Amino acid sequence: MSTPQQFSRRTFLSTAAAATATGLVSGGPVAADVMTAAVDPTPLDGPIFVSTHAFARVANEKGMEILAAGGSLLDAIEMGIRETELDADNHSVAFGGTPNADGVVQLDACIMDHIYNAGSVAAIEDILHPISVARMVMERTKHVMLVGAGARKFALSQGVEPTNMLTEDRRQRWEEWLKTQEAMSLEESHDTIALVARGADGKLSGGCSTSGWGYKMAGRVGDSPIIGSGLYVDGQVGAAGSTGLGENVMRYCGSFMVVDFMARGAHPQDACIETVRTMGRKDPQDLQDMSLNFCAVDRFGRHGAAGSDAGFHYSVTTREGSQLINAVTVVE
Ligand code: GLY
């Protein structure tokens, strides 16, 4: 693991003032040194998978395997995320996920390719692989997003078998929770997988899957299935995904903002930092309480991640192997 880095918002504000004074940046106080698009970097030779958290490494590596076997980048994203969805020990994604306040596991997922095709499901029940249903929405319907009972009905109509998603272990935890109704810690409740990737040909895709906020209100939808919030892919620029408190990410279209910074010339690392800073600056809450975390890859295969949660890590897999990297922590 690399050494944790911290980035101060106060430092940024003085840098930003200087940047604005030079007239180098328009559209708000953005650090000039972040927007350096003078010369294209040498593209990475080969594919790269970038994802939130240590547990997503298996998704990255599955994605690599799928590509090596001749699958498409979208196949790699879907099959990679399916690995995480199957993991009963992960209590924030699909099978074994934490239920809502009524004891029902409701899942959110989305997928997007390099030419702005997108599919999404929200608050879907009894479905083992919401990421696959999101892809079916994208490829087999005229719509982008299906929710709740409609999403489930569509999945079953496509031959998906219903699955009980509430494990005995999570059911018992939920019963304990009913007695105290204590809020879950962020560590327990927001370990969404966002997986973004660039193929050897420079094409980009991404996906996202979560069981969302533990013991959420029935029907609550987070950022993860919202195109532009939990995930955004612009094939001409880059791809970004988020993990954290969806209510905060979705009010700012967080992943779109990361991609927008990249479109204006920022390295993926700087784009993630600037996004967290921007949201923290605008929002009345303390940044430390917002749980905003992003990872990104650009069309050249460069990657980065930043968040307001100290200890946020991201997984990167290339032909050279996998790495778990400390994301930059943005502080007040
Ligand atoms: N980021 C996952 C959620 O808030 O649902």
Side-chain angles (χ1 to χ4, degrees):
M1 285 187 207
S2 55
T3 312
Q5 303 168 65
Q6 288 211 324
F7 218 113
S8 156
R9 213 151 47 126
R10 203 166 293 124
T11 312
F12 161 66
L13 286 171
S14 56
T15 316
T20 308
T22 62
L24 290 172
V25 182
S26 63
V30 175
D33 56 352
V34 166
M35 301 306 182
T36 50
V39 183
D40 282 353
T42 308
L44 179 74
D45 181 19
I48 179 168
F49 291 81
V50 178
S51 57
T52 50
H53 303 293
F55 66 72
R57 173 184 174 152
V58 292
N60 288 5
E61 291 177 354
K62 184 64 172 187
M64 271 296 192
E65 216 179 287
I66 297 289
L67 284 188
S72 69
L73 194 60
L74 217 51
D75 294 338
I77 293 286
E78 178 188 353
M79 299 313 288
I81 289 180
R82 281 172 69 112
E83 290 289 301
T84 314
E85 290 179 336
L86 276 178
D87 180 3
D89 293 331
N90 181 321
H91 302 312
S92 292
V93 182
F95 188 66
T98 301
N100 66 17
D102 295 348
V104 177
V105 180
Q106 288 190 324
L107 304 169
D108 296 341
C110 74
I111 196 162
M112 190 164 186
D113 74 7
H114 64 291
I115 47 171
Y116 315 102
N117 292 306
S120 162
V121 289
I124 193 169
E125 296 175 14
D126 306 328
I127 298 298
L128 186 55
H129 291 300
I131 191 70
S132 297
V133 183
R135 185 171 177 186
M136 289 174 200
V137 172
M138 177 173 113
E139 293 181 342
R140 303 182 191 175
T141 80
K142 292 178 181 161
H143 307 304
V144 168
M145 186 172 200
L146 294 177
V147 306
R152 182 182 186 278
K153 183 178 167 192
F154 167 70
L156 301 190
S157 78
Q158 299 303 299
V160 176
E161 291 291 327
T163 303
N164 173 22
M165 300 298 282
L166 184 62
T167 57
E168 182 52 23
D169 163 63
R170 287 305 96 188
R171 194 191 59 74
Q172 284 178 15
R173 270 291 278 129
W174 168 69
E175 284 190 347
E176 283 164 29
W177 172 81
L178 277 180
K179 290 176 206 146
T180 62
Q181 310 245 340
E182 267 176 29
M184 294 181 85
S185 69
L186 287 177
E187 287 75 27
E188 275 182 302
S189 63
H190 294 294
D191 286 349
T192 302
I193 179 167
L195 170 62
V196 289
R198 171 202 177 266
D201 57 3
K203 289 190 179 141
L204 297 153
S205 285
C208 194
S209 182
T210 189
S211 54
W213 189 338
Y215 314 127
K216 60 195 174 187
M217 289 175 71
R220 178 265 188 187
V221 171
D223 59 323
S224 304
I226 309 292
I227 301 300
S229 288
L231 176 77
Y232 197 68
V233 181
D234 184 329
Q236 298 173 36
V237 177
S242 80
T243 178
L245 194 49
E247 276 69 6
N248 290 330
V249 175
M250 64 206 292
R251 289 183 292 110
Y252 294 96
C253 301
S255 292
F256 179 83
M257 198 188 293
V258 175
V259 174
D260 190 49
F261 275 121
M262 290 193 282
R264 292 152 67 192
H267 184 285
Q269 178 71 82
D270 295 323
C272 292
I273 293 170
E274 291 301 326
T275 297
V276 178
R277 281 171 162 171
T278 302
M279 293 162 75
R281 200 172 60 242
K282 287 174 186 282
D283 202 281
Q285 299 174 81
D286 283 345
L287 183 59
Q288 298 97 301
D289 300 332
M290 289 183 73
S291 191
L292 313 167
N293 305 285
F294 298 93
C295 68
V297 64
D298 70 9
R299 68 192 171 98
F300 307 110
R302 301 180 300 175
H303 61 86
S308 62
D309 291 346
F312 169 49
H313 289 77
Y314 71 115
S315 298
V316 176
T317 302
T318 64
R319 281 181 183 147
E320 311 302 310
S322 293
Q323 281 178 281
L324 179 62
I325 304 176
N326 283 345
V328 171
T329 304
V330 181
V331 296
E332 287 293 330

